[in-house]
């Protein structure tokens, strides 16, 4: 079941709010949808990488001569063949290939472009690399020390940083690339006021996005130093802009085109293979395709590193949280990537739900000799809220209170100021929790030995990033169809469908009459990317505003023909007419003039009927003593789980899963439900199955494949999932809508953990909750 | 994920393959995976690969009616087989979607779409054998296909809807012309 909680604006909806079929549907079920995987050109070269067998090693010498001599090999590049400047997502520490050192096992040391993939593979065997092994720093806590075994980036303090939200370094901790703190009150005082103090440590595991289409890029030289790059990414403008910068080209010389993307989940927002493909295309003068194998995807694409969260909470006998101290350590791998931002933004989930007078949050992102950690669905909130919400459940039960009631009692309310100096607005956590209480009525019950059951719940509050911007362009055609040019990445979430619906709604036409031009930086205007659950809210607004602009232009043109002022006109079904009087109108075609030779239509003035606009949110780091905007919006919700646990095997089954999430307005209800279910799925994997395993001595990733890294299949996956969306209209959202892509992934993990606790009596403190771990919890002596 | 415009130092052979009811002759290394041959030599990009090790099922095609992972089958070993890919599903004459495709479309049984051709082939292979499968039988048939986006619930619904729509008997007759 799902349904609207309340009516949104006083609007008449035609297409918005309907579960119309996916706009990309027919292409995707007939095998004709084009992915970067399918982009090929005559004369195209294939590539293969030389990879470091060591997690940390100085590269003494690279001899590429034998590989270069192989017939059919066109280029063998090392970092020396790339411009010197480093790049990054805010901390510029990264190079395309390993520079002086290999920083993790599998790190690219050289790349070969050849006539075939097989030949390129063969040539990599002929590249001779001399390494001087260094001690790999695999453990985040070792890396964090003031005297770590090795300093991973000796030049860290010289690296450039972005002006927008730069990271904070720590002088006496040489591997820390970000330290972020938020707080208010005086926690010492707070803990003195507390009747009970709880201290716990929680750990999540490193996991990989594992999109079905791994990273890939195709670059084609266009002459004069220009490149066209096809990329499987989720932030096409960022990829274009950064790739040009990395290759020392003016941005206009790189055109990035994004076909359909076979999954993103946060893993494809930073440049990786694009500049390598681009440089190879420049050097060889031929189109070049760079693709990741599954193993390379695990090791060289970003992952989500393990996080250790220590949390101390003080409460009164009455059940008021008076103090909370949270410290999180986020081992980040060989480069900071978006990891420095993960360390910052996980604090918002920590400090944005509950009214705690004294709170201190301190997070650290730290280099390790493991795969690079960056953005991943939930962006830090998943990692920290596993522990925080588990502990909330523990405190409530310890005080003899219902965990949902305990949460409701301690919520920040409308207008309250958070620890990061932002005013809580449009709060819906209370409504989400109340609806969960109504809809999730599962109870712990008797199961046949050796099975036991338990129920659990959790609250989530996932921010969406700011500052941020989306732009859109809308063109009205003589036949009354409307073309939308926009750069949201279609990574499967359905933005193409939702945006088509918005255009159809605004022009009152069928979605079939909306033409979509997607993600091509020569044609489609700026967008921040399909990240941070942001597209519906931000791009939805931009599309609506661009439609308004286009209609204004259309009415100007039609006013001359109809001799009626433009502000008195409206459009529907390809016609323009005086408000409320469709019979006295004209076809959109009539504002155009027919050209000779049946060669088309033109406007006598103005060129084209084009509308364009930008939606942006201004925000910044919270300032001491000053209330300001930090994020775009918050995606709030709650999850409830009834779990069955086999006390003899440690197996966990989710008998019932309910999610209640506020989406403001469901542009396409079925797609919203699919986001909830799909995001739950990713959380279930992280909760119960997935973990990248590193050899603690060598730092090698030992399960970089689908056999040893367990992604839930249909057999492991629960089928009793009830996605419920609420429509608490957000005043800034398009028709009141906001995003939903990440929050369910965050919420379900502590809901599962607390359900397991309810079943077996002991709280899981580590992910994933593998059968062996759950077995231990179930068979532990009860204190 | 491999393609070879130019095979170096490998023995080539002339192979006869029957794909989607048409006979093709290709000059390739017989050890080349069928998935690569379909994509590189026969221009059928609907078949995807995601792991190239037979785990994920994105490359699933139907070989003599059975759902098979085309990354694990060497081209030289399927010469006498009836190979069917996702491109075979749409009716060549009427251009109509196959009932299994219609069901996936209506039930929103996919998001990014990269795994979808594999799921469609696994589904069709199941329904041809067992037109009224139980939920457990559906799960068994789809166990070798990974979907990272949907969480499988909508896929299960899609297969159930497909079982309602699809009658293998009439389809076989239609395909027999």
């Amino acid at each position: 079941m799902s349904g609207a909680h309340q009516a949104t604006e006083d609007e008449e909806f035609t297409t918005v709010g309907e579960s119309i079929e996916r706009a990309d549907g027919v292409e995707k079920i007939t095998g004709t949808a084009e992915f970067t995987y399918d982009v090929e050109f005559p004369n195209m070269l294939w590539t293969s990488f030389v990879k470091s067998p060591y997690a940390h090693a100085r590269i003494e010498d690279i001899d590429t001569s034998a590989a270069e001599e192989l017939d059919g090999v066109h280029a063998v590049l090392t970092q020396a063949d790339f411009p010197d400047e480093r790049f990054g997502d805010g901390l510029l520490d990264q190079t395309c290939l390993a520079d002086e050192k290999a920083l993790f096992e599998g790190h690219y040391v050289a790349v070969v472009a050849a006539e075939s993939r097989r030949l390129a593979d063969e040539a990599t065997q002929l590249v001779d690399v001399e390494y001087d092994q260094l001690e790999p720093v695999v453990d985040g806590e070792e890396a964090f020390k003031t005297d770590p075994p090795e300093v991973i980036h000796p030049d860290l303090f010289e690296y450039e940083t972005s002006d927008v939200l730069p990271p904070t370094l720590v002088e006496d901790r040489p591997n820390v690339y970000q330290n972020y703190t938020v707080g208010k009150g005086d926690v010492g005082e707070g803990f003195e006021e507390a009747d009970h103090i709880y201290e716990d440590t929680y750990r999540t595991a490193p996991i990989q996005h594992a999109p079905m289409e791994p990273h890939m890029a195709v670059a084609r030289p266009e002459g004069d130093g220009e490149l066209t790059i096809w990329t499987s990414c989720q932030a096409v403008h960022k990829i274009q802009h950064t790739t040009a910068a990395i290759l020392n080209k003016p941005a206009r010389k790189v055109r990035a085109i994004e076909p359909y993307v076979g999954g993103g989940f946060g893993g494809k927002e930073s440049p990786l293979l694009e500049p390598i493909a681009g440089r190879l295309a420049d050097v060889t003068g031929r189109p070049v395709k760079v693709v990741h194998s599954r193993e390379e995807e695990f090791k060289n694409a970003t992952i989500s590193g393990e996080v250790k969260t220590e949390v101390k909470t003080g409460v009164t006998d009455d059940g008021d949280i008076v103090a909370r101290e949270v410290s999180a350590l986020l081992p980040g791998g060989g480069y900071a990537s978006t990891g420095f931002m993960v360390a910052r933004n996980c604090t918002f989930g920590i400090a944005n739900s509950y009214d705690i007078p004294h709170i201190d949050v301190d997070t650290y992102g730290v280099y390790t000799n493991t795969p690079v950690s960056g953005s991943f669905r939930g962006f830090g909130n998943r990692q920290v809220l596993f522990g925080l919400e588990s502990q909330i459940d523990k405190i409530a039960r310890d005080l003899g209170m219902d965990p949902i009631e305990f949460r409701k009692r301690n919520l920040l309310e409308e207008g309250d100021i958070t620890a990061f100096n932002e005013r809580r607005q449009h709060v819906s956590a209370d409504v989400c929790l109340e609806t969960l209480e109504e809809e999730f009525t599962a109870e712990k019950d008797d199961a046949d030995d050796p099975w036991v059951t338990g129920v659990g719940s959790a609250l989530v509050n996932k921010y969406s990033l700011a500052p941020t911007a989306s732009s859109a362009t809308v063109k009205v055609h003589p036949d009354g169809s409307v073309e939308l040019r926009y750069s949201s990445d279609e990574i499967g979430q359905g933005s193409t469908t939702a945006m088509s619906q918005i255009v159809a709604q605004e022009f009152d036409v069928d979605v079939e009459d909306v033409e979509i031009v997607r993600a091509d930086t020569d044609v489609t205007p700026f967008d921040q990317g399909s990240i941070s659950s942001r597209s519906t809210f931000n791009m939805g607004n931009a599309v609506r505003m661009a439609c308004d602009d286009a209609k204004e232009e259309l009415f100007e043109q039609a006013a001359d023909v109809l001799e009626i002022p433009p502000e008195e006109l409206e459009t529907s079904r390809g016609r323009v007419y005086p408000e409320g009087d469709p019979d006295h109108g004209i076809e959109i075609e009539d504002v155009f003039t027919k050209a000779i030779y049946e060669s088309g239509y033109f406007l006598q003035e103005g060129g084209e009927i084009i509308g364009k606009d930008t939606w942006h949110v201004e925000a910044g780091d919270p300032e001491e003593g000053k209330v300001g905007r930090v994020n775009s919006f918050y995606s709030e919700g709650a999850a409830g789980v009834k779990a069955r646990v086999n006390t003899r095997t440690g197996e966990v089954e989710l008998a019932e899963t309910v999610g209640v999430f506020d989406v403001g307005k469901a542009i396409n209800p079925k797609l919203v439900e699919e986001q909830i279910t799909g995001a739950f799925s990713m959380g279930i994997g992280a909760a119960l199955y997935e973990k990248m395993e590193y050899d603690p001595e060598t730092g090698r990733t030992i399960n970089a494949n689908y056999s040893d890294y367990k992604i839930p299949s249909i057999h492991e996956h629960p089928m009793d999932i009830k996605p419920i969306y609420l429509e608490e209209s957000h005043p800034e959202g398009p028709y009141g809508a906001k995003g939903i892509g990440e929050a369910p992934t965050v919420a379900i993990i502590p809901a599962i953990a607390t359900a397991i606790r309810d079943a077996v009596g002991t709280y899981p403190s580590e992910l994933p909750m593998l059968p062996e771990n759950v077995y231990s919890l179930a068979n532990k002596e009860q204190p | 994920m491999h393609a070879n415009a130019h095979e170096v130092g490998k023995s080539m052979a002339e192979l006869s393959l029957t794909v989607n009811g048409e006979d093709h002759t290709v000059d390739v290394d017989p050890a080349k995976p069928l998935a690569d041959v379909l994509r590189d030599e026969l221009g059928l990009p609907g078949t995807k690969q995601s792991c190239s090790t037979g785990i994920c099922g994105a490359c699933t095609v139907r070989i003599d009616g059975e759902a098979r992972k085309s990354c694990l089958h060497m081209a030289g070993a399927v010469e006498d087989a009836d190979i069917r890919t996702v491109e075979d599903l749409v009716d060549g004459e009427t251009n109509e979607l196959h009932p299994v495709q219609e069901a996936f479309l209506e039930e929103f049984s996919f998001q990014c779409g990269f795994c979808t051709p594999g799921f469609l082939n696994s589904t069709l292979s199941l329904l041809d054998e067992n037109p009224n499968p139980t939920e457990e039988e559906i799960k068994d048939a789809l166990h070798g296909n990974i979907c990272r986006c949907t969480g499988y619930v909508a896929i299960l619904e899609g297969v159930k809807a497909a079982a309602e729509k699809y009658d293998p008997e009439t389809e076989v007759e239609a395909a027999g012309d």
Side-chain angles (χ1 to χ4, degrees):
Chain A
M1 188 220 87
S2 59
H5 180 76
Q6 69 170 45
T8 52
E9 294 164 41
D10 189 20
E11 290 181 88
E12 225 175 275
F13 290 114
T14 51
T15 314
V16 162
E18 296 296 315
S19 292
I20 64 158
E21 277 174 10
R22 293 187 64 111
D24 53 4
V26 172
E27 285 172 87
K28 285 183 174 178
I29 53 166
T30 52
T32 54
E34 186 179 59
F35 296 83
T36 303
Y37 179 50
D38 304 316
V39 173
E40 291 183 11
F41 297 101
N43 259 338
M44 192 176 79
L45 299 176
W46 293 81
T47 57
S48 183
F49 289 101
V50 177
K51 291 167 275 196
S52 170
Y54 308 113
H56 200 192
R58 196 167 301 286
I59 298 165
E60 297 291 349
D61 188 50
I62 309 176
D63 182 358
T64 58
S65 54
E68 279 163 18
E69 279 165 24
L70 199 62
D71 188 30
V73 168
H74 291 259
V76 186
L77 305 186
T78 67
Q79 182 55 33
D81 299 299
F82 286 83
D84 276 341
E85 290 82 4
R86 287 176 181 257
F87 62 94
D89 294 270
L91 175 59
L92 312 193
D93 61 357
Q94 198 163 348
T95 51
C96 290
L97 303 173
D99 189 22
E100 291 165 356
K101 295 199 294 180
L103 299 172
F104 48 91
E105 184 246 336
H107 197 173
Y108 298 142
V109 172
V111 60
V112 175
E115 296 285 347
S116 73
R117 174 75 188 239
R118 190 180 280 180
L119 183 61
D121 283 342
E122 226 168 277
T124 61
Q125 305 298 314
L126 301 175
V127 175
D128 196 15
V129 187
E130 210 178 294
Y131 297 96
D132 178 16
Q133 286 189 62
L134 301 167
E135 184 179 341
V137 190
V138 184
D139 181 66
E141 290 176 64
E142 286 292 310
F144 181 63
K145 287 178 174 169
T146 51
D147 59 338
E150 288 282 349
V151 175
I152 293 168
H153 283 266
D155 298 329
L156 169 60
F157 291 85
E158 271 83 65
Y159 291 152
E160 284 178 49
T161 60
S162 164
D163 305 333
V164 187
L165 308 178
T168 309
L169 305 179
V170 180
E171 209 169 310
D172 61 347
R173 293 191 187 273
N175 284 326
V176 169
Y177 61 68
Q178 166 77 305
N179 175 215
Y180 201 77
T181 55
V182 297
K184 71 169 182 180
D186 178 338
V187 285
E189 207 177 284
F191 285 120
E192 274 174 32
E193 290 168 21
D195 298 312
H196 310 272
I197 291 175
Y198 298 84
E199 282 186 81
D200 296 286
T201 301
Y202 300 90
R203 288 169 204 274
T204 62
I207 57 176
Q208 223 275 330
H209 313 74
M212 295 307 289
E213 181 190 36
H215 280 70
M216 44 190 84
V218 178
R220 189 177 69 188
E222 307 291 7
D224 199 23
E226 289 189 22
L227 290 172
T228 305
I229 296 181
W230 288 259
T231 164
S232 179
C233 76
Q234 60 186 109
V236 73
H237 276 270
K238 176 180 169 186
I239 296 295
Q240 179 255 353
H241 189 83
T242 49
T243 298
I246 290 163
L247 298 178
N248 260 341
K249 292 176 187 287
R252 67 174 190 281
K253 296 251 181 193
V254 175
R255 173 186 190 181
I257 298 175
E258 186 189 291
Y260 289 123
V261 179
F265 317 114
K268 291 179 178 167
E269 72 159 291
S270 301
L272 181 69
L273 302 181
E274 296 85 356
I276 296 172
R279 186 79 189 117
L280 284 168
D282 271 343
V283 170
T284 63
R286 302 259 296 258
V288 178
K289 186 167 191 172
V290 188
V291 304
H292 262 179
S293 68
R294 184 52 54 186
E295 180 181 347
E296 288 165 342
E297 186 71 5
F298 271 102
K299 295 178 180 177
N300 285 277
T302 51
I303 64 151
S304 179
E306 70 274 27
V307 174
K308 176 188 168 194
T309 308
E310 293 171 290
V311 50
K312 179 177 173 184
T313 307
V315 290
T316 63
D317 283 330
D318 295 339
D320 292 325
I321 307 174
V322 286
R324 208 166 204 198
E325 197 169 27
V326 183
S327 163
L329 181 67
L330 297 90
Y335 296 119
S337 181
T338 43
F340 83 98
M341 205 67 144
V342 174
R344 171 187 184 263
N345 294 7
C346 71
T347 63
F348 305 137
I350 298 172
N352 201 41
S353 287
Y354 301 114
D355 184 11
I356 307 172
H358 307 285
I359 182 165
D360 260 347
V361 185
D362 203 5
T363 64
Y364 294 92
V366 53
Y367 289 120
T368 47
N369 293 119
T370 54
V372 178
S373 177
S375 44
F376 187 111
R377 206 171 200 167
F379 212 84
N381 289 260
R382 170 178 55 78
Q383 296 93 311
V384 294
L385 287 189
F386 156 56
L388 266 70
E389 281 296 293
S390 292
Q391 200 199 42
I392 288 287
D393 184 273
K394 178 182 180 176
I395 296 169
R397 287 166 186 267
D398 202 49
L399 296 176
M401 295 177 74
D402 175 80
I404 294 179
E405 292 305 320
F406 179 70
R407 289 187 175 98
K408 277 159 64 182
R409 180 186 179 90
N410 283 288
L411 285 179
L412 281 163
E413 289 170 9
E414 191 74 19
D416 286 349
I417 307 297
T418 69
F420 49 94
N421 281 330
E422 192 179 46
R423 190 179 302 282
R424 287 292 282 128
Q425 286 178 303
H426 330 303
V427 175
S428 53
D430 49 348
V431 191
C432 292
L433 286 170
E434 278 159 22
T435 310
L436 185 69
E437 281 180 312
E438 288 161 23
E439 299 289 338
F440 179 61
T441 52
E443 283 179 13
K444 184 183 166 90
D445 53 31
D446 293 333
D448 290 337
D449 187 60
W451 292 90
V452 290
T453 68
V455 293
S457 58
L459 176 70
V460 61
N461 191 331
K462 169 68 178 66
Y463 75 94
S464 182
L465 71 86
T468 197
S470 293
S471 303
T473 306
V474 166
K475 174 177 167 176
V476 181
H477 287 264
D479 64 1
S481 65
V482 187
E483 174 185 315
L484 170 65
R485 302 173 192 162
Y486 79 123
S487 298
S488 287
D489 317 85
E490 179 54 71
I491 53 178
Q493 83 281 41
S495 64
T496 313
T497 312
M499 296 309 146
S500 304
Q501 286 179 257
I502 292 177
V503 174
Q505 174 75 37
E506 293 299 316
F507 278 87
D508 194 23
V509 294
D510 292 333
V511 279
E512 290 74 21
D513 293 322
V514 177
E515 178 68 23
I516 291 283
V517 178
R518 288 187 306 109
D520 173 345
T521 58
D522 263 13
V523 180
T524 60
F526 180 81
D527 177 49
Q528 188 80 56
S530 291
I531 56 173
S532 205
S533 309
R534 65 177 294 288
S535 292
T536 299
F537 182 86
N538 292 286
M539 185 57 82
N541 272 323
V543 169
R544 238 187 137 177
M545 292 158 71
C547 284
D548 279 346
D549 194 41
K551 280 197 283 189
E552 210 171 291
E553 177 61 30
L554 172 65
F555 296 153
E556 288 284 342
Q557 297 274 357
D560 295 343
V561 184
L562 285 164
E563 294 180 345
I564 296 172
E567 57 276 10
E568 290 172 22
L569 296 176
E570 65 178 303
T571 181
S572 169
R573 307 274 135 199
R575 290 174 60 78
V576 181
Y577 48 84
E579 277 168 340
D581 186 11
D583 296 340
H584 290 92
I586 52 169
E587 298 295 317
I588 285 178
E589 187 187 303
D590 298 335
V591 306
F592 290 84
T593 303
K594 219 169 173 190
I596 58 164
Y597 305 132
E598 291 297 317
S599 50
Y601 297 83
F602 63 92
L603 284 174
Q604 294 195 1
E605 282 176 22
E608 291 186 310
I609 300 176
I610 291 271
K612 54 188 169 44
D613 217 330
T614 302
W615 165 264
H616 78 291
V617 177
E618 277 181 50
D621 268 324
E623 285 178 55
E624 188 100 28
K626 197 175 149 197
V627 176
R629 187 166 195 174
V630 180
N631 289 307
S632 287
F633 64 87
Y634 290 87
S635 189
E636 295 181 82
V641 163
K642 177 176 175 179
R644 285 160 44 81
V645 179
N646 184 320
T647 54
R648 243 172 255 159
T649 62
E651 214 178 326
V652 177
E653 288 177 4
L654 306 189
E656 200 179 323
T657 301
V658 177
V660 180
F661 296 90
D662 173 26
V663 301
K665 168 74 187 172
I667 305 288
N668 183 312
K670 191 80 181 146
L671 286 176
V672 166
E673 290 172 4
E674 285 242 325
Q675 279 303 296
I676 297 173
T677 310
F680 270 165
S681 179
M682 204 149 234
I684 289 164
L688 297 176
Y689 302 104
E690 298 177 32
K691 180 184 189 182
M692 284 180 69
E693 300 271 5
Y694 309 131
D695 180 315
E697 299 300 319
T698 63
R700 263 181 215 159
T701 304
I702 57 182
N703 63 343
N705 59 70
Y706 279 160
S707 329
D708 302 316
Y709 180 93
K710 181 67 193 164
I711 289 169
S713 79
I714 197 165
H715 266 314
E716 287 86 23
H717 208 284
M719 291 296 151
D720 189 343
I721 298 179
K722 194 165 151 187
I724 299 171
Y725 62 85
L726 305 182
E727 295 188 311
E728 298 285 314
S729 185
H730 191 296
E732 285 181 338
Y735 319 100
K738 57 181 185 172
I740 181 60
E742 298 170 284
T745 301
V746 181
I748 195 168
I749 298 170
I752 294 172
T754 53
I756 290 175
R757 144 67 183 73
D758 193 35
V760 306
T762 313
Y763 282 95
S765 61
E766 216 170 291
L767 297 183
M769 297 171 260
L770 295 169
E772 55 262 42
N773 304 341
V774 175
Y775 174 86
S776 303
L777 296 174
N779 294 280
K780 217 177 202 171
E781 286 294 314
Q782 300 298 324
Chain B
M1 249 152 279
H2 303 187
N4 294 288
H6 163 122
E7 306 273 352
V8 183
K10 304 293 167 191
S11 55
M12 307 289 271
E14 204 168 88
L15 301 182
S16 305
L17 296 175
T18 308
V19 180
N20 299 337
E22 282 180 36
D23 294 330
H24 298 269
T25 304
V26 289
D27 198 18
V28 292
D29 176 355
K32 187 167 176 165
L34 174 61
D36 291 331
V37 173
L38 293 171
R39 292 180 56 84
D40 304 344
E41 314 293 334
L42 300 180
L44 297 169
T47 301
K48 308 300 183 198
Q49 288 185 81
S50 180
C51 72
S52 305
T53 53
I55 307 292
C56 76
C59 68
T60 305
V61 298
R62 285 167 293 134
I63 301 179
D64 293 331
E66 300 282 333
R68 288 284 178 259
K69 290 167 178 176
S70 61
C71 72
L72 294 182
H73 288 264
M74 292 185 290
V78 289
E79 271 203 290
D80 300 321
D82 175 20
I83 300 161
R84 303 271 167 176
T85 70
V86 67
E87 284 90 349
D88 190 48
L89 293 182
V90 172
D91 188 300
E93 282 180 12
T94 64
N95 225 12
E96 277 175 19
L97 295 175
H98 190 281
V100 173
Q101 291 173 310
E102 278 176 15
F104 270 51
L105 195 58
E106 286 164 14
E107 296 297 328
F108 288 62
S109 307
F110 55 92
Q111 288 183 20
C112 84
F114 204 78
C115 69
T116 310
F119 272 98
L120 289 167
N121 279 312
S122 292
T123 301
L124 189 52
S125 170
L126 165 72
L127 297 181
D128 277 337
E129 180 87 1
N130 176 2
N132 298 299
T134 64
E135 194 163 308
E136 277 314 300
E137 287 168 339
I138 295 172
K139 287 184 182 180
D140 286 344
L142 301 184
H143 182 57
N145 294 78
I146 292 177
C147 169
R148 191 58 160 162
C149 298
T150 65
Y152 303 104
V153 179
I155 295 176
L156 185 71
E157 292 307 315
V159 179
K160 286 182 186 168
E164 292 285 316
K165 285 173 180 284
Y166 175 55
D167 178 359
E169 298 298 323
T170 52
E171 292 293 323
V172 168
E173 277 167 33
D177 49 28

